[in-house]
Amino acid sequence: MRLDKLLSNLGFSSRSLCREMIKKGRVQVDGIVCRDMAMHVPDGAKVTLDGKEIDTRVERYLMMYKPSGYLTAAEDKSQQTVMDLLPKVYHSLGCMPVGRLDKDTTGLLLFTTDGDLAHRLIAPRHHVDKVYLARVDEPLTEEDEQAFREGIKLQDFTAMPAKLERLEETLGRVTVQEGKYHQVKRMFSARGKRVLELHRASFGEMQLDKGMRPGDFRELKEKEIAALYQAAGKAHE
Ligand code: URA
């Protein structure tokens, strides 16, 4: 990527101000002052601004403990979104949520700059399991488990077979591979139950870190990123 584009994508400033910084000799690439704003920066090059090393990775992958009360959306005119919980650099790089959790749902939400990966991870044909803990308003029954196993008929589609495990009288663990709008809530609603609390515990092999609090996020490790690409059936350069 061109040096000026890279710096502005990384959120340092507008493209024109980044050009100024480059012209002034404030930027070095692999230890050499670079005044050529169009210079192609090779992967893995060490770039510094005013002597401080810059993290130049443009592909990013995050996990967040989504708190209740935030929309899963890139932006919204009147309500807070999960993007508001991320520093500017992730906005500049085009990091977006993978799929959607309802405003009142908590738990594991992934973000990536790779839109194709995100798309694949939420497509049911890739069979990526999403596990939710659901607190409902009525006792769960064996018939509920059976209905989830068979696939529940909803107004506009029949949900694919899913797994419901009763953990407590009104607490269930649900494993689904689809992610349609209000999917889990609608499946319970079809069984005459209202979901009072919904929390996503895992996405594929990924689980929320034990120590994470609502609103926390972190970058994924290389091993975790590789597992996501594998789950999505996509090569990772
Ligand atoms: N199913 C729902 O109903 N809501 C969510 O947020 C996620 C899955």
Side-chain angles (χ1 to χ4, degrees):
M1 193 181 290
R2 281 175 62 118
L3 183 56
D4 55 353
K5 183 162 192 266
L6 178 69
L7 292 179
S8 67
N9 281 3
L10 289 168
F12 283 96
S13 210
S14 65
R15 184 85 77 97
S16 57
L17 285 176
C18 286
R19 286 179 180 162
E20 286 300 311
M21 298 194 300
I22 296 165
K23 271 199 232 158
K24 284 186 180 150
R26 292 170 61 191
V27 179
Q28 293 191 355
V29 179
D30 285 334
I32 296 166
V33 172
C34 179
R35 289 193 162 83
D36 175 7
M37 58 196 80
M39 180 194 162
H40 173 78
V41 182
D43 274 354
K46 182 178 163 190
V47 181
T48 61
L49 171 64
D50 298 333
K52 270 205 216 119
E53 189 164 355
I54 293 169
D55 184 349
T56 55
R57 289 168 304 139
V58 287
E59 292 290 4
R60 300 292 180 100
Y61 311 83
L62 306 174
M63 73 154 68
M64 176 189 282
Y65 187 152
K66 180 194 172 294
S68 179
Y70 286 79
L71 290 184
T72 309
E75 57 184 334
D76 192 83
K77 285 204 177 78
S78 55
Q79 300 192 61
Q80 291 180 303
T81 77
V82 288
M83 294 303 296
D84 296 329
L85 297 165
L86 294 179
K88 202 173 127 215
V89 62
Y90 297 108
H91 296 229
S92 315
L93 288 170
C95 223
M96 297 294 283
V98 177
R100 198 179 278 258
L101 291 178
D102 295 336
K103 186 175 170 186
D104 58 353
T105 300
T106 60
L108 177 57
L109 184 61
L110 298 175
F111 292 77
T112 176
T113 47
D114 183 343
D116 177 57
L117 174 70
H119 199 71
R120 287 163 175 258
L121 286 169
I122 54 178
R125 70 173 187 287
H126 289 291
H127 304 291
V128 178
D129 282 345
K130 289 101 189 166
V131 179
Y132 294 88
L133 296 175
R135 173 75 64 188
V136 295
D137 64 341
E138 295 279 339
L140 294 164
T141 64
E142 211 178 310
E143 290 73 37
D144 293 329
E145 289 182 340
Q146 173 80 15
F148 272 63
R149 259 199 305 277
E150 287 170 0
I152 295 179
K153 191 159 170 34
L154 302 172
Q155 217 169 21
D156 50 340
F157 77 106
T158 299
M160 277 166 54
K163 187 160 147 197
L164 168 64
E165 299 158 90
R166 285 176 291 161
L167 303 178
E168 292 171 16
E169 198 178 33
T170 58
L171 181 68
R173 180 166 46 219
V174 181
T175 307
V176 290
Q177 291 176 344
E178 289 170 302
K180 297 237 167 63
Y181 184 61
H182 290 338
Q183 170 119 12
V184 174
K185 290 176 184 166
R186 290 167 69 197
M187 288 165 81
F188 278 111
S189 171
R191 299 291 309 157
K193 291 173 174 87
R194 198 159 70 83
V195 173
L196 305 176
E197 284 169 32
L198 191 61
H199 175 86
R200 183 153 70 193
S202 66
F203 190 113
E205 290 182 9
M206 204 86 63
Q207 298 191 354
L208 265 183
D209 293 350
K210 288 248 158 49
M212 269 187 148
R213 315 297 315 156
D216 288 350
F217 69 90
R218 71 159 171 88
E219 299 234 4
L220 298 186
K221 301 181 183 117
E222 201 42 57
K223 221 167 70 187
E224 295 171 323
I225 297 167
L228 282 185
Y229 276 91
Q230 194 174 20
K234 185 178 180 190
H236 179 33
E237 299 95 47

